[in-house]
Amino acid sequence: MLFRSKLNLFVSYDIIVQNPYETENDKLQTIEVLLRTPRPFTLRLHNLRYYPGTELTRRAIKDKIPDVYLRDGSRKTLQRRETIDSYIRMSAVLPPILVHKLLRTRNTVHGRTFSKFFYFLAKIIGMFSILWMIYRSCGYNLLKTIKLLRKIS
């Protein structure tokens, strides 16, 4: 953490979601790890993809997983959105106490409504945190930040 903050490093983690072989407990453990991870950081969530000829794809087809999507387009179905995966995104930007409260109430009508609101809020906060980390990595220099953003956009 000290090393990262001294060098103003931009930290981002990639996480694969919508894995039918992960249990809810596996996902809750991922959320707990993220809630304990030093901030700031960003998350990039990727949906699990199935590639033709791989063991994972053969297993998913054998197990009749309804959401198999092959990269070559030979079989495509709509992937269902798993609500627990949305809490993974929220855990990167919302306070841990709020994420825990949302998780406890996720199966109630009010909990689902609040979760949708906070998921939307987390996406907005996530965008601003990326901008803040870029600004910080440019030595809090607005002109350098703008130049960098122009180069990468």
Side-chain angles (χ1 to χ4, degrees), residues 1-9 11 39-40 136 140:
M1 170 82 172
L2 180 64
F3 178 75
R4 183 175 82 180
S5 63
K6 268 189 168 179
L7 295 177
N8 287 326
L9 295 178
V11 179
R39 296 172 189 226
R136 193 181 83 175
Y140 300 100

Side-chain angles (χ1 to χ4, degrees), residues 57-115:
T57 301
R58 285 190 290 276
R59 180 179 172 195
I61 291 170
K62 179 180 167 251
D63 294 344
K64 297 182 176 26
I65 301 294
D67 301 331
V68 174
Y69 169 73
L70 300 179
R71 285 300 277 194
D72 72 352
S74 61
R75 178 177 174 202
K76 184 176 181 179
T77 60
L78 293 175
Q79 291 200 359
R80 68 184 186 279
R81 304 242 0 133
E82 293 190 38
T83 57
I84 197 78
D85 288 342
S86 63
Y87 294 91
I88 292 172
R89 178 181 302 279
M90 288 189 255
S91 65
V93 294
L94 297 179
I97 194 167
L98 179 57
V99 175
H100 285 127
K101 174 75 172 164
L102 292 170
L103 282 168
R104 280 194 308 276
T105 61
R106 72 182 180 272
N107 293 323
T108 67
V109 173
H110 289 71
R112 285 190 294 272
T113 303
F114 282 119
S115 291

